[in-house]
Amino acid sequence: MWSYFANPHKFLRLSDWLAPTFYAVGTLCIAYGLWQGLWVVPKDEYQGGDIMRVMFIHVPAAWLAMASYSALAVASFIWFVWRHELADIAAKSIAPLGAVWTAICLATGSIWGKPTWGTWWQWNDARMMSVLFLFFLFLGYMALRASMDTRQKAARAGAILAMVGAINVPLIKFSVDMVESIHQGASVITADGPKMAAVYLTPLLVSAIGHSLFFGGLVMTSMRTEIRERRIARLRAASLEGA
Amino acid sequence: MIRGERVLFRSISLSVRPGEALLLRGANGAGKTTLLRILAGLTRAETGEVTRAAAHHWVGHREGLKPLETPRTHLKLWAQAWGARTGIDPVLTRMGLARPADVAGRDLSAGQRRRTALARLLLEDRPVWLLDEPYTALDADGRALIDALIAEHRAKGGAVIAALHGEAGFSGTTDLTL
Amino acid sequence: MSGAPLLAAFRQSLGEAWAGGAGALLPLGFLGGTAVLVPLGIGTDAATLKAVGPVIIWFALALESLVTLERIFQADAEDGTLDLWLQAGAPVSALAAAKTLAHWLSAGLPLALFSPVLALMFQAEASPALLVNAGLYALGSLAFFFWGGVGAALSATVRRGGLLISLIALPLYVPTAVFGALAMSGGPGSTGAPMFLAASTLFACAVAPYAMSAALRLAAD
């Protein structure tokens, strides 16, 4: 199956219509989610009043932070085992976008935290800490790739690091969970989770789907650019050789 | 073999038999070192395979000598790592390293460092020698010494693959120009 | 396969670590210097120092491992030793583990053994618990060295790789730092934490050598 998707030509043909579709449907979903979230659903005083509406960006961003790192790890694994260049291109494209959504998650979480918890940053909140370390993993990945002198080396080094990071994520999560369970502060409120009222659930879900599609579209566009950049680099090297 | 986007070489096929010497020639940057590293298993070729029927010695253009190692401790270390039983002193004498045998690597001259690296060839009998620019930094004596070592090695049925830029003091059975 | 190459790699690294930096004195100086800055900054209140002392030592150990590890594979890659080790006929993961262990022995373990002295300076009561803590520091720093070793191997060919190692390795240090600090907190959760610390160190020792191996092959390529 991978070898089918590993073909850059097929990918270019597929993403030619798939990426715009993702953008269109994604934008519609995000717009619906925002409209519902900002104007339609009632505010929840327990969650901090109107500020809780940031949830419709925060929760999808949190979901994408985790999903994008998983995708990065999977792409890295595929590249490491089968050496399909497209998997590396995908990994390279996912990383900066994943970092952006992770940063959005941190920023919106912080903005939400100030009025509800009374602090911009809650050190004993396991989710905040996990996402922060996820952000660092993304940064380390990008910095490592950038410091390698050829694309082949960047691919190999990046894949090793992404896989090492991925197997450590559960352990990191477990350890910060432990901190939270021990230093449980009275002010900490469960901001999302199963207690969520049903009225929020649908717009939230639509919004999350929208963000995912939009993210997917951006990854595809970025991959298309990267494929073409590599092609240009190859052509340039070939023409230099011929000269 | 591709470096970055630069194709260094394509479709190379080579082999050495006992007693043979293969000289890899070519201008700077042609890929002699890369090809040698592929043969040694250090660099992965984009496609193709290397069949190694026998153990090999490697002397790259970086000597592998630590700044604080002396020729003696260096040879001792590798003799230990390889489980070789050869006496260190005869090897040091043969390579003309008896006098600086206990001088730290950082205080050795480039030629002495080179001789130390080449001395590893004598620690253990291995049929194939992979040498990257073996003459670098050596004086006339040193060059003659290498020629003698290679001649002996080949006479014993050993094979040599060497990347060379300039003149060779021994004739290759085959020359491969990249 | 015999253990000869591993033993040789271990001895070479140990010799380097010992001769290259005045033995364990240099890392000890680093640890002392880092730790001593803290009371000067946060004040000399005994209760505060007592509370933060164990964590400061963890912090200093983590930093010290990063600083120590910066050169261990980089130097090998530069002087050609890495090429030789990769052809030494032993699994590269085992070689990397042997080298890391040697550096831990010369720059990690001595600090752990020295930790009771620092703890006393941070107003801890003199008690056998300090020796238990020294054991925990030893255990935790081993994990630091192994994960830091992955960062060091990945940036072996990167000039000024030190900052990169820190960025790569610090997230991997989190579980160790958390379990280590919890184990010494004396509060709830401190009884189970040493076990988790040991487990995460074991995990590091089991996984990191393979990552180092892949990274070192890349560094030589």
Side-chain angles (χ1 to χ4, degrees), chain B residues 3 37 40-44 56 58 62-69 74 77-78 80-83 120, chain C residues 4-5 7-8 11-12 16 19-20 75-81 83-88 217 220-221:
Chain B
R3 279 273 149 170
R37 291 180 75 84
L42 289 170
T43 295
R44 205 186 312 217
H56 68 263
W58 165 263
R62 286 174 293 208
E63 277 84 12
L65 182 66
K66 293 273 171 201
L68 291 169
E69 268 181 341
H74 179 77
L77 174 89
W78 289 102
Q80 187 202 12
W82 295 337
R120 289 198 303 267
Chain C
L7 203 63
R11 277 187 27 182
Q12 186 188 39
E16 272 221 302
D76 280 6
E78 281 166 10
D79 63 26
T81 317
D83 292 344
L84 292 174
W85 284 121
L86 290 179
Q87 298 176 72
R217 288 188 180 285
D221 198 335

Coordinates of all heavy atoms in Angstrom, one line a residue, chain B residues 3 37 40-44 56 58 62-69 74 77-78 80-83 120, chain C residues 4-5 7-8 11-12 16 19-20 75-81 83-88 217 220-221:
Chain B
R3 N 25.2 12.6 -3.3 CA 25.5 13.5 -2.2 C 24.7 14.7 -2.3 O 24.9 15.4 -3.3 CB 27.0 13.9 -2.2 CG 27.9 12.8 -1.6 CD 28.1 13.0 -0.2 NE 28.3 11.6 0.4 CZ 28.6 11.4 1.6 NH1 28.8 12.4 2.5 NH2 28.8 10.2 2.1
R37 N 34.7 4.3 1.2 CA 33.9 4.2 2.5 C 32.7 3.3 2.2 O 32.3 2.6 3.1 CB 33.4 5.6 2.9 CG 34.6 6.5 3.4 CD 34.0 7.8 3.9 NE 33.3 7.8 5.1 CZ 33.9 7.8 6.3 NH1 35.2 7.9 6.4 NH2 33.2 7.7 7.4
A40 N 34.1 -0.1 2.6 CA 34.3 -0.4 4.0 C 33.0 -0.6 4.8 O 33.1 -1.1 5.9 CB 35.1 0.7 4.6
G41 N 31.9 -0.2 4.2 CA 30.6 -0.3 4.9 C 30.3 0.8 5.8 O 29.4 0.8 6.6
L42 N 31.1 1.9 5.6 CA 30.8 3.1 6.4 C 29.7 4.0 5.8 O 28.9 4.6 6.6 CB 32.1 4.0 6.6 CG 33.2 3.3 7.4 CD1 34.5 4.1 7.3 CD2 32.8 3.3 8.9
T43 N 29.7 4.1 4.5 CA 28.7 4.9 3.8 C 27.8 3.9 3.1 O 28.2 2.9 2.6 CB 29.4 5.8 2.8 OG1 30.2 6.7 3.6 CG2 28.4 6.6 2.0
R44 N 26.5 4.3 3.1 CA 25.5 3.4 2.5 C 25.4 3.9 1.0 O 25.2 5.1 0.8 CB 24.2 3.6 3.2 CG 23.3 2.4 3.0 CD 22.0 2.7 3.6 NE 22.1 3.2 5.0 CZ 21.3 2.9 6.0 NH1 20.4 2.1 5.8 NH2 21.5 3.5 7.2
H56 N 38.8 -6.8 6.5 CA 39.6 -5.8 5.9 C 40.2 -4.8 7.0 O 39.7 -4.7 8.1 CB 38.8 -5.0 4.9 CG 37.7 -4.1 5.6 ND1 36.4 -4.6 5.6 CD2 37.7 -2.9 6.2 CE1 35.7 -3.7 6.2 NE2 36.4 -2.7 6.6
W58 N 41.2 -0.8 7.7 CA 40.8 0.5 7.2 C 41.8 1.6 7.7 O 42.1 1.7 8.9 CB 39.4 0.9 7.7 CG 39.0 2.3 7.5 CD1 39.1 3.3 8.5 CD2 38.5 2.9 6.4 NE1 38.7 4.5 8.0 CE2 38.3 4.3 6.7 CE3 38.2 2.5 5.1 CZ2 37.8 5.2 5.8 CZ3 37.8 3.4 4.1 CH2 37.5 4.7 4.5
R62 N 41.5 10.4 8.0 CA 41.7 10.8 9.4 C 42.2 9.6 10.2 O 41.7 8.5 10.0 CB 40.3 11.2 10.0 CG 39.9 12.5 9.5 CD 38.5 12.9 9.9 NE 37.5 12.0 9.3 CZ 36.3 12.3 9.1 NH1 35.8 13.5 9.4 NH2 35.4 11.4 8.5
E63 N 43.2 9.8 11.0 CA 44.0 8.7 11.5 C 43.3 7.8 12.5 O 43.7 6.7 12.7 CB 45.4 9.2 12.1 CG 46.5 9.4 11.1 CD 46.3 10.8 10.4 OE1 45.5 11.6 10.9 OE2 47.0 11.0 9.4
G64 N 42.4 8.4 13.3 CA 41.8 7.7 14.4 C 42.6 7.6 15.6 O 42.4 6.8 16.5
L65 N 43.6 8.6 15.7 CA 44.5 8.7 16.8 C 44.0 9.8 17.7 O 43.8 10.9 17.3 CB 45.9 9.0 16.3 CG 47.0 9.1 17.3 CD1 47.2 7.7 18.0 CD2 48.3 9.5 16.7
K66 N 43.8 9.5 19.0 CA 43.3 10.5 19.9 C 44.4 11.4 20.3 O 45.6 11.0 20.4 CB 42.7 9.8 21.2 CG 41.5 9.0 20.9 CD 40.3 9.9 21.1 CE 39.0 9.2 20.6 NZ 38.0 10.2 20.2
P67 N 44.1 12.7 20.7 CA 45.2 13.6 21.0 C 46.1 13.2 22.2 O 47.2 13.5 22.2 CB 44.4 14.9 21.5 CG 43.1 14.7 20.9 CD 42.8 13.3 20.7
L68 N 45.5 12.4 23.1 CA 46.3 11.9 24.2 C 46.9 10.5 24.1 O 47.6 10.1 24.9 CB 45.4 12.0 25.5 CG 45.1 13.4 25.9 CD1 44.0 13.4 27.0 CD2 46.3 14.2 26.4
E69 N 46.5 9.9 23.0 CA 47.0 8.5 22.8 C 48.5 8.6 22.2 O 48.8 9.5 21.4 CB 46.2 7.8 21.7 CG 45.1 7.0 22.3 CD 44.3 6.3 21.2 OE1 44.3 6.7 20.0 OE2 43.6 5.3 21.6
H74 N 47.9 3.5 21.4 CA 46.9 3.4 20.3 C 47.0 1.9 19.7 O 45.9 1.3 19.6 CB 47.3 4.3 19.2 CG 46.4 4.3 17.9 ND1 45.2 4.8 17.9 CD2 46.6 3.7 16.7 CE1 44.7 4.6 16.7 NE2 45.5 3.9 16.0
L77 N 45.6 -0.5 22.2 CA 44.1 -0.5 22.3 C 43.5 -1.3 21.2 O 42.6 -2.1 21.4 CB 43.6 1.0 22.2 CG 42.1 1.1 22.1 CD1 41.5 1.2 23.5 CD2 41.7 2.3 21.2
W78 N 44.0 -1.1 20.0 CA 43.4 -1.8 18.8 C 43.7 -3.3 18.8 O 42.9 -4.1 18.4 CB 43.6 -1.1 17.5 CG 42.9 0.2 17.5 CD1 43.3 1.5 17.8 CD2 41.4 0.3 17.4 NE1 42.3 2.4 17.8 CE2 41.1 1.7 17.5 CE3 40.4 -0.6 17.1 CZ2 39.8 2.2 17.5 CZ3 39.1 -0.1 17.1 CH2 38.8 1.3 17.2
Q80 N 44.0 -4.9 21.5 CA 43.0 -5.5 22.5 C 41.6 -5.6 21.9 O 41.0 -6.6 22.0 CB 43.0 -4.6 23.7 CG 42.2 -5.2 24.8 CD 41.7 -4.1 25.8 OE1 41.8 -2.9 25.5 NE2 41.2 -4.5 26.9
A81 N 41.2 -4.6 21.2 CA 39.9 -4.6 20.6 C 39.7 -5.7 19.6 O 38.6 -6.3 19.5 CB 39.6 -3.2 19.9
W82 N 40.7 -6.0 18.8 CA 40.6 -7.0 17.8 C 41.0 -8.3 18.3 O 41.0 -9.3 17.5 CB 41.5 -6.6 16.6 CG 41.1 -5.3 15.9 CD1 39.9 -4.8 15.9 CD2 42.0 -4.5 15.1 NE1 39.9 -3.6 15.2 CE2 41.1 -3.4 14.7 CE3 43.3 -4.5 14.7 CZ2 41.6 -2.4 13.9 CZ3 43.8 -3.4 14.0 CH2 42.9 -2.4 13.5
G83 N 41.5 -8.4 19.5 CA 42.0 -9.7 20.0 C 43.3 -10.2 19.3 O 43.5 -11.4 19.1
R120 N 48.6 0.0 12.2 CA 47.5 -0.9 12.6 C 47.4 -2.1 11.6 O 46.9 -3.2 11.9 CB 46.1 -0.2 12.6 CG 46.0 0.8 13.7 CD 44.5 1.2 13.9 NE 43.9 1.7 12.7 CZ 43.9 3.0 12.4 NH1 44.3 3.9 13.2 NH2 43.3 3.4 11.2
Chain C
A4 N 35.8 -8.2 23.7 CA 37.0 -7.4 23.7 C 36.9 -6.0 23.1 O 37.4 -5.0 23.7 CB 38.1 -8.2 22.9
P5 N 36.1 -5.8 22.0 CA 36.0 -4.4 21.5 C 35.3 -3.5 22.4 O 35.6 -2.4 22.6 CB 35.2 -4.6 20.2 CG 35.3 -6.0 19.8 CD 35.5 -6.8 21.1
L7 N 35.2 -3.8 25.7 CA 36.1 -3.4 26.8 C 37.1 -2.4 26.4 O 37.4 -1.4 27.1 CB 36.8 -4.7 27.2 CG 37.4 -4.7 28.6 CD1 36.2 -4.6 29.6 CD2 38.2 -6.0 28.9
A8 N 37.6 -2.5 25.1 CA 38.6 -1.5 24.6 C 37.9 -0.2 24.5 O 38.5 0.9 24.9 CB 39.1 -2.0 23.3
R11 N 37.5 1.3 27.9 CA 38.7 1.8 28.5 C 39.2 3.1 27.8 O 39.7 4.0 28.5 CB 39.8 0.7 28.4 CG 39.7 -0.3 29.5 CD 40.9 -1.2 29.5 NE 42.1 -0.7 28.9 CZ 43.2 -1.4 28.7 NH1 43.3 -2.6 29.1 NH2 44.2 -0.8 28.1
Q12 N 39.0 3.1 26.5 CA 39.5 4.3 25.8 C 38.7 5.6 26.3 O 39.2 6.6 26.6 CB 39.3 4.2 24.3 CG 39.8 5.3 23.5 CD 39.5 5.3 22.0 OE1 38.4 4.9 21.6 NE2 40.4 5.6 21.2
E16 N 40.1 8.8 28.3 CA 39.8 10.1 27.8 C 39.2 11.0 28.8 O 39.6 12.2 29.0 CB 38.9 10.1 26.6 CG 39.6 9.8 25.3 CD 39.0 10.7 24.2 OE1 37.8 10.5 24.0 OE2 39.7 11.5 23.7
A19 N 41.7 11.7 31.7 CA 42.9 12.4 31.5 C 42.5 13.8 30.9 O 43.2 14.8 31.1 CB 43.8 11.7 30.5
G20 N 41.4 13.9 30.1 CA 41.1 15.1 29.4 C 40.6 16.2 30.3 O 40.6 17.4 29.8
A75 N 34.1 14.3 19.0 CA 35.6 14.1 18.9 C 35.9 12.8 18.1 O 36.8 12.8 17.2 CB 36.2 14.1 20.2
D76 N 35.2 11.8 18.3 CA 35.4 10.5 17.6 C 35.1 10.7 16.1 O 35.9 10.1 15.3 CB 34.4 9.4 18.1 CG 35.0 8.8 19.4 OD1 36.0 9.3 19.9 OD2 34.3 7.8 19.9
A77 N 34.1 11.4 15.8 CA 33.8 11.7 14.4 C 34.9 12.5 13.7 O 35.2 12.3 12.6 CB 32.4 12.3 14.2
E78 N 35.4 13.5 14.4 CA 36.4 14.3 13.8 C 37.8 13.7 13.7 O 38.5 13.9 12.7 CB 36.6 15.6 14.7 CG 35.5 16.6 14.5 CD 35.5 17.7 15.6 OE1 36.4 17.7 16.4 OE2 34.5 18.4 15.6
D79 N 38.2 12.9 14.6 CA 39.5 12.3 14.5 C 39.6 10.9 13.8 O 40.6 10.3 13.7 CB 40.2 12.3 15.9 CG 39.5 11.4 16.9 OD1 38.9 10.4 16.4 OD2 39.7 11.6 18.1
G80 N 38.4 10.4 13.4 CA 38.4 9.2 12.6 C 38.2 7.9 13.5 O 38.2 6.8 13.0
T81 N 38.2 8.1 14.8 CA 38.0 7.0 15.7 C 36.7 6.3 15.4 O 36.6 5.1 15.5 CB 38.1 7.4 17.1 OG1 39.2 8.3 17.3 CG2 38.4 6.2 18.0
D83 N 35.1 5.9 12.7 CA 35.2 5.0 11.6 C 35.7 3.6 12.0 O 35.3 2.6 11.6 CB 36.1 5.6 10.5 CG 35.5 6.8 9.8 OD1 34.3 7.0 10.0 OD2 36.3 7.5 9.2
L84 N 36.7 3.7 12.9 CA 37.3 2.4 13.3 C 36.4 1.6 14.2 O 36.3 0.4 14.1 CB 38.6 2.8 14.1 CG 39.8 3.3 13.3 CD1 40.9 3.7 14.1 CD2 40.2 2.3 12.2
W85 N 35.7 2.3 15.1 CA 34.8 1.6 16.0 C 33.6 1.0 15.2 O 33.2 -0.1 15.5 CB 34.2 2.5 17.1 CG 35.2 2.8 18.2 CD1 35.7 4.0 18.5 CD2 35.9 1.8 19.0 NE1 36.6 3.9 19.6 CE2 36.7 2.5 19.8 CE3 35.8 0.4 19.1 CZ2 37.5 1.9 20.8 CZ3 36.6 -0.2 20.0 CH2 37.5 0.5 20.8
L86 N 33.2 1.7 14.2 CA 32.1 1.1 13.4 C 32.5 -0.2 12.6 O 31.7 -1.0 12.3 CB 31.6 2.2 12.4 CG 30.8 3.3 12.9 CD1 30.4 4.3 11.8 CD2 29.6 2.9 13.7
Q87 N 33.8 -0.3 12.5 CA 34.3 -1.5 11.8 C 34.9 -2.5 12.7 O 35.6 -3.4 12.3 CB 35.3 -1.1 10.7 CG 34.8 -0.2 9.7 CD 35.8 0.3 8.7 OE1 36.3 -0.5 7.9 NE2 36.2 1.5 8.8
A88 N 34.7 -2.3 14.0 CA 35.4 -3.1 15.0 C 34.8 -4.5 15.2 O 35.3 -5.3 15.9 CB 35.5 -2.4 16.4
R217 N 26.0 5.7 12.9 CA 26.2 5.3 11.5 C 25.9 6.5 10.6 O 26.6 6.6 9.6 CB 25.2 4.1 11.2 CG 25.6 2.9 11.9 CD 24.8 1.7 11.4 NE 25.3 0.5 12.0 CZ 26.4 -0.2 11.7 NH1 27.1 0.3 10.8 NH2 26.7 -1.2 12.4
A220 N 28.9 8.9 10.5 CA 30.0 8.4 9.7 C 29.7 8.5 8.2 O 30.6 8.5 7.4 CB 30.4 7.0 10.1
D221 N 28.4 8.4 7.9 CA 28.1 8.3 6.5 C 28.5 9.6 5.7 O 28.4 10.7 6.2 CB 26.5 8.2 6.4 CG 26.1 7.7 5.0 OD1 26.9 7.9 4.0 OD2 25.1 7.0 4.9

